[in-house]
Amino acid sequence: MKTPIFEVKNLSYSYAGGIPALNNINLRVMRGESVALVGANGSGKSTLLRLLDGLVFPSEGEIDSAGMPLTEKALQNAAYSREFRSRVGLVFQDADVQLFSPTVWEEVLFGPLQLGVPRSEAAYRATEALELLGISHLKDRPPFRLSGGEKKKVSIASVISFSPRVLLLDEPTNGLDPHSQGVLIDFLISWVADGNTLIFSTQELDLVEELSSRIIVLGMEHTIVADGRPEDFLSNADFLLKTNLIHEHAHRHKSLVHRHQHAHEHQHAADEQGHGI
Amino acid sequence: MHIPDGYLSPVTDGVMLAAAAPFWVIAFNRVRRTLSRRTVPVLGLFAAFSFVTMMFNVPLPGGTTAHAVGGILLAIVLGPWEAVIGISVVLGIQALFFGDGGVLAYGANCFNMAIVLPLAGYFVYKLVSAGSGPMSPRRVAGAFAGGYLGINAAAMFTSFELGLQPLLFHTSQGVPLYAPYGMATALPAIMVGHLLVAGPLEGLVTGTVVFYLQRSGSTLVRSGEIAKGEGRRWILWGGLAALALAAPLGLLASGTAWGEWGNQQLKALGLGFVPAGLQKLQGWWHAPLPGYGLPRIGAATGYVLSAFIGAGAVAVAVWLVGKAMVGKDKTSHPPSQKVEYSSRSKEGFLSKNIELLSRALESGMMADDRSHDGGFLQSLDPRVKVAGFILFIIAAGLMRNLALLGVLFTVALWLAYVSRISILFFLRRVLFFIPLFTAVIAIPSLFTTPGIPIWHIGQHLSVTSAGVQSAVFLFARVTDSLSLGVLLIMATPWTDLLVSLRWYRLPSLVVSVVGMTYRYIFLFLHTANNMFLARRSRTIERFSGEANRRWMGQAMAAALTKSQVMSEEIYLAMLSRGYSGEIVAVDELRAGRRDILCLAGAAALTAIILWVNYR
């Protein structure tokens, strides 16, 4: 049997002060999977990504990555830390946190240089990452002269540049215009097709449909309430409603007011047929 | 309190830099130990916070606004040594990137504001709050007292440095070469404002923010129990500081008892104009206060009194000129060169803050654009530029010949021209505030400098030739140094400046902190600007000054907590990409033959100018 990329066993995590963030999480992610983490605000998605990236550590339970325990102590070993950090990259939700360098170029070079990639090779990879996201023209800009969408792309480039095999993305399409979203989704689809692993958190069910082969739903009790193929869950309206992923509300279509759930493209198509518009 | 170049002799600058150095070494080693791998994000974020809050104008009773330094606050929440590094970084960015405070005077400015201010303030805070719990009101009282006394200690050092200049550095005819006022004028002129306005404000801001941090249960005030042994160590430090304070005074008072300086000594200190006015004053005071025997007041008391009045006159003059200038030309006012205590604005303090913050943002973007324009200076290696300009600024400091100061200014104009910087824009930027301010400062010295009278005003006042020389010297020197500094900033992208700082053996840790500070200053400027805009959008009636002050206190406490959270996030983001305590620098500088030729040219010009001057 192949070794999983991540194996999470009985994991619980509480913030300082004892506020629970995750409760008894068990999951296994294999190479080449594209996993969507969904759940309402405060259900623990970001925290789980940080645990998987070895930035914070479980209060209870354990995480193995590629067969090695991922602990604070293990990461103090320089060789292991370098191997793990080179293999796994995390794109933070807040691009302003991720972009701390004086210019875009230094930002994109930060990862490879810290991870010991030789200078010329690092420069080559950084150039490639900028090209891949179509932002080569931003190279000499300071971060405060970037738009929200540009910041997001730079933060992704700054992780891609050290060629991780596992990408953790926290709300990747947040604040992106539809065109940039499309570019990013195309990039991620081809990236996964190359045999890489993707785990991303999102609120957008459209993105789950387009990008993921698997969905993990975190409930309000900070536990996993569902884990499986997206198509099995996204059609279950009652379930989505119960986990706060959709919201029942009233709105107007032409002169007709109706009441339904908010993830509803298919329903509208049906409505329109039904009403004969 | 930012001393521009030209007010202090290069010798004083050197001495102050040397005096600051050991503190930096101690602070550096301590900070590295306590913050370890978090040093860069924590200091970077908190320094950016201080930079931005230093721009906030807080409404004062009476309708004016003023801004606080916030250094003592930094010392209380982060620790005194962290504050030393943090404020030094802020002052460096102000001097290098915004042209606020001199380049050569950096050591002196750091000594006053980054060393004396947080250490003295923290010492007082510890004394007052020793043994109290984290939620105790005594902590708030300590913060107020620390803020008040810290800033006044810093102001006192500033006035010592300025006051010593005419005593130590003058021509053989007694013409002061740098700051023209002696101790007896400088001390009260600077201290009055700080004892009465800046001190209470700093105390208020520090105390209020600590209070709101306590209320929100922030870890910034919850941690840091005060151990008993620590208190004793701080008393030792306080004793040393008191000694340091007393030393320059003792130097001046050598041979005479306190407060009994005779006329001769006072003349030597650069004050000569008061007797006539003072006699009148004594007569005037005689009537309302007959019982106090004022006619018999000692010469020293009299001089201090008159110095107060002189200081008041200068303050009024500066205020009037500042008001006239701001009214005329709002847009060209550089953001960082602001009137310390500016006048009442029609639209209230929110608008003033919004304007200040957006101007700083704009100027940052403009500097970024301009520094990439392809002119002569822009094409040079930044290390060459830094070395060349520092040579020129030192030359400007050492020159004793007005014509040569003129030559240097012409060189600066020529460099601006060949670097495609609009001369008009350049002149406005350079001449607008600091030299004008200097001119106003220098006016009284026309009368006070002892020498041959050349022009009489009324019966008792006369302009002396030495006075004119001294005033013109100060003005020319300040203008020269400032234009050189501004030129360097305008023609160099700040990331290049950072790289060259690293090349000049500044520890890479410091350079990284500076880089991160600068980066997050802009984020905080944006956030703060939005905060003020949101406040304005919800404001229908004008809030009272008291309500606005309270709101500012809360907002600053919240921002401080956010800086803490964000620094931790950034640390994680760095960790995630392989950071392990040392940032690998991206160095891509290559100096060519042309760069070396230019540096040689700058060195030769400096040498020729100084040779012509001193031969």
Side-chain angles (χ1 to χ4, degrees):
Chain A
M1 206 187 100
K2 280 194 286 182
T3 329
I5 298 282
F6 287 114
E7 169 116 55
V8 178
K9 285 175 272 182
N10 307 322
L11 175 147
S12 294
Y13 181 83
S14 310
Y15 297 117
I19 305 151
L22 289 168
N23 193 5
N24 195 28
I25 304 288
N26 285 285
L27 69 99
R28 176 183 286 185
V29 178
M30 304 304 291
R31 189 176 159 216
E33 276 194 287
S34 175
V35 183
L37 275 179
V38 295
N41 291 329
S43 57
K45 302 187 297 290
S46 297
T47 308
L48 184 53
L49 290 174
R50 281 162 192 225
L51 282 157
L52 293 178
D53 197 37
L55 296 176
V56 291
F57 301 93
S59 317
E60 277 169 52
E62 55 200 66
I63 304 174
D64 285 354
S65 178
M68 290 272 288
L70 184 63
T71 60
E72 195 159 13
K73 200 160 167 246
L75 282 170
Q76 274 162 10
N77 177 328
Y80 178 68
S81 168
R82 180 169 288 189
E83 187 276 322
F84 176 79
R85 300 266 175 239
S86 309
R87 190 158 50 82
V88 181
L90 168 64
V91 177
F92 281 64
Q93 185 177 347
D94 181 357
D96 275 322
V97 159
Q98 176 128 18
L99 306 184
F100 44 74
S101 303
T103 62
V104 168
W105 179 241
E106 285 184 52
E107 195 65 67
V108 181
L109 271 176
F110 182 89
L113 288 182
Q114 292 302 127
L115 292 164
V117 177
R119 240 158 240 277
S120 56
E121 167 75 12
Y124 173 75
R125 289 200 205 173
T127 311
E128 206 180 37
L130 290 176
E131 272 168 20
L132 216 54
L133 284 142
I135 47 171
S136 304
H137 60 289
L138 303 177
K139 193 177 165 220
D140 292 321
R141 291 264 186 95
F144 71 90
R145 305 210 62 181
L146 301 175
S147 72
E150 286 170 340
K151 279 184 188 171
K152 198 84 206 183
K153 287 184 201 163
V154 175
S155 48
I156 293 168
S158 73
V159 171
I160 298 296
S161 63
F162 59 86
S163 328
R165 308 302 312 273
V166 181
L167 201 51
L168 308 171
L169 299 168
D170 201 350
E171 309 265 359
T173 53
N174 238 7
L176 287 184
D177 60 56
H179 172 74
S180 304
Q181 280 199 23
V183 172
L184 177 62
I185 292 171
D186 288 347
F187 165 75
L188 291 173
I189 288 174
S190 68
W191 197 75
V192 174
D194 289 343
N196 296 305
T197 311
L198 179 67
I199 304 177
F200 65 99
S201 74
T202 187
Q203 308 270 15
E204 292 170 48
L205 299 181
D206 291 351
L207 189 64
V208 177
E209 270 183 312
E210 284 191 68
L211 201 53
S212 65
S213 55
R214 176 178 171 192
I215 181 172
I216 292 175
V217 184
L218 289 170
M220 292 313 286
E221 301 304 311
H222 312 292
T223 53
I224 292 180
V225 292
D227 184 347
R229 293 190 308 155
E231 47 273 34
D232 296 343
F233 293 99
L234 293 179
S235 51
N236 184 344
D238 278 348
F239 174 78
L240 293 176
L241 205 57
K242 213 167 59 197
T243 48
N244 281 352
L245 287 172
I246 54 172
H247 173 62
E248 188 175 58
H249 76 160
H251 69 173
R252 184 187 286 272
H253 285 279
K254 301 241 165 113
S255 60
L256 189 96
V257 177
H258 70 169
R259 193 172 280 279
H260 65 139
Q261 288 90 26
H262 206 197
H264 57 245
E265 269 162 72
H266 311 298
Q267 289 163 359
H268 274 195
D271 284 348
E272 281 167 19
Q273 280 162 13
H275 296 305
I277 299 167
Chain B
M1 228 189 296
H2 291 70
I3 306 176
D5 278 332
Y7 279 72
L8 301 178
S9 72
V11 176
T12 316
D13 290 329
V15 169
M16 294 314 290
L17 193 68
F23 289 93
W24 280 327
V25 173
I26 298 172
F28 197 65
N29 289 330
R30 279 184 170 250
V31 166
R32 258 219 295 230
R33 221 172 327 134
T34 51
L35 291 175
S36 85
R37 294 197 292 178
R38 282 181 173 77
T39 305
V40 175
V42 168
L43 288 183
L45 268 272
F46 280 91
F49 165 85
S50 315
F51 184 97
V52 174
T53 50
M54 241 184 246
M55 299 185 64
F56 289 174
N57 276 279
V58 181
L60 291 178
T64 60
T65 62
H67 67 93
V69 178
I72 296 112
L73 182 64
L74 207 60
I76 292 171
V77 298
L78 273 188
W81 298 106
E82 287 78 1
V84 168
I85 301 278
I87 305 169
S88 299
V89 166
V90 171
L91 293 176
I93 288 178
Q94 286 176 331
L96 266 185
F97 304 122
F98 289 87
D100 207 3
V103 176
L104 293 187
Y106 178 68
N109 282 326
C110 276
F111 192 85
N112 304 332
M113 284 185 281
I115 292 167
V116 172
L117 180 132
L119 292 184
Y122 190 73
F123 169 68
V124 173
Y125 167 73
K126 283 271 161 166
L127 270 193
V128 176
S129 64
S132 67
M135 293 301 162
S136 155
R138 260 209 289 148
R139 291 272 177 109
V140 177
F144 178 87
Y148 182 81
L149 289 169
I151 199 166
N152 275 296
M156 194 175 276
F157 271 90
T158 308
S159 51
F160 287 160
E161 288 145 27
L162 291 170
L164 275 175
Q165 297 306 309
L167 188 65
L168 299 176
F169 307 98
H170 48 74
T171 63
S172 50
Q173 288 91 41
V175 178
L177 284 163
Y178 304 95
Y181 302 103
M183 201 65 86
T185 314
L187 194 65
I190 293 172
M191 290 315 292
V192 171
H194 285 87
L195 287 167
L196 298 180
V197 184
L201 175 78
E202 189 74 25
L204 197 73
V205 168
T206 315
T208 314
V209 174
V210 168
F211 171 74
Y212 283 116
L213 285 174
Q214 282 184 336
R215 271 234 306 223
S216 64
S218 164
T219 51
L220 287 169
V221 288
R222 259 195 311 193
S223 56
E225 281 300 319
I226 298 158
K228 274 184 192 152
E230 208 183 350
R232 241 176 280 136
R233 203 177 63 229
W234 280 98
I235 288 174
L236 181 74
W237 274 107
L240 280 175
L243 272 178
L245 267 173
L249 286 178
L251 186 79
L252 286 174
S254 58
T256 41
W258 248 117
E260 288 177 32
W261 297 335
N263 225 336
Q264 289 308 105
Q265 279 120 321
L266 282 163
K267 274 240 168 77
L269 294 183
L271 247 184
F273 89 111
V274 207
L278 188 63
Q279 277 161 14
K280 275 190 193 161
L281 196 76
Q282 285 169 346
W284 182 70
W285 274 106
H286 193 62
L289 294 166
Y292 287 84
L294 266 168
R296 289 189 290 112
I297 60 172
T301 324
Y303 275 105
V304 171
L305 246 184
S306 63
F308 268 74
I309 293 163
V314 170
V316 169
V318 170
W319 178 72
L320 285 175
V321 170
K323 198 169 170 133
M325 304 297 305
V326 172
K328 256 190 223 140
D329 194 355
K330 273 199 164 185
T331 48
S332 69
H333 185 158
S336 50
Q337 300 164 7
K338 59 225 170 260
V339 190
E340 287 253 324
Y341 305 108
S342 43
S343 60
R344 181 200 292 265
S345 134
K346 279 196 189 95
E347 303 125 282
F349 92 109
L350 282 173
S351 309
K352 180 185 271 174
N353 279 321
I354 291 165
E355 202 186 309
L356 269 173
L357 294 170
S358 7
R359 245 194 259 134
L361 278 168
E362 268 168 38
S363 87
M365 307 217 178
M366 244 165 55
D368 187 49
D369 285 342
R370 213 171 297 276
S371 60
H372 285 103
D373 285 354
F376 167 69
L377 282 175
Q378 287 90 336
S379 71
L380 286 181
D381 184 284
R383 291 166 294 184
V384 167
K385 273 185 276 186
V386 169
F389 275 96
I390 287 183
L391 272 178
F392 282 157
I393 296 175
I394 292 176
L398 288 173
M399 268 185 247
R400 299 184 166 200
N401 182 322
L402 275 175
L404 289 173
L405 278 166
V407 169
L408 199 58
F409 188 63
T410 318
V411 171
L413 284 182
W414 175 76
L415 283 172
Y417 175 74
V418 294
S419 306
R420 300 191 196 165
I421 293 168
S422 147
I423 299 288
L424 205 69
F425 176 84
F426 177 68
L427 284 179
R428 262 211 314 222
R429 171 89 204 260
V430 167
L431 290 176
F432 186 72
F433 197 75
I434 292 185
L436 247 166
F437 179 79
T438 302
V440 176
I441 293 268
I443 287 169
S445 79
L446 295 175
F447 308 100
T448 62
T449 316
I452 308 147
I454 51 171
W455 185 35
H456 293 276
I457 301 171
Q459 257 189 315
H460 304 291
L461 286 179
S462 53
V463 174
T464 64
S465 63
V468 173
Q469 275 185 51
S470 139
V472 174
F473 254 129
L474 185 67
F475 179 79
R477 216 188 287 281
V478 166
T479 308
D480 268 20
S481 326
L482 193 70
S483 40
L484 291 164
V486 166
L487 205 51
L488 173 66
I489 303 161
M490 279 185 162
T492 318
W494 73 282
T495 45
D496 285 1
L497 273 184
L498 278 186
V499 177
S500 47
L501 290 182
R502 198 180 290 128
W503 191 81
Y504 283 111
R505 293 287 160 269
L506 215 68
S508 85
L509 186 73
V510 173
V511 179
S512 304
V513 174
V514 173
M516 196 165 285
T517 306
Y518 192 85
R519 185 259 178 269
Y520 284 102
I521 281 174
F522 286 95
L523 183 73
F524 286 176
L525 282 174
H526 261 298
T527 313
N529 207 21
N530 289 340
M531 187 180 89
F532 285 113
L533 284 171
R535 171 83 167 171
R536 183 158 73 177
S537 79
R538 280 177 287 153
T539 302
I540 298 158
E541 282 173 48
R542 292 263 301 270
F543 285 96
S544 69
E546 170 58 29
N548 276 329
R549 274 195 294 280
R550 217 178 318 123
W551 176 74
M552 291 279 291
Q554 272 170 321
M556 277 168 80
L560 202 54
T561 308
K562 176 145 193 246
S563 310
Q564 183 195 21
V565 172
M566 197 153 178
S567 69
E568 184 59 26
E569 291 273 290
I570 291 166
Y571 171 65
L572 291 181
M574 293 168 75
L575 218 54
S576 169
R577 284 194 272 153
Y579 172 71
S580 56
E582 196 75 39
I583 292 182
V584 182
V586 184
D587 285 323
E588 291 174 334
L589 293 180
R590 232 165 249 125
R593 187 184 290 164
R594 180 158 159 275
D595 296 309
I596 291 161
L597 273 177
C598 286
L599 184 59
L605 185 63
T606 310
I608 291 170
I609 287 178
L610 289 179
W611 179 75
V612 170
N613 197 150
Y614 284 96
R615 91 201 129 123

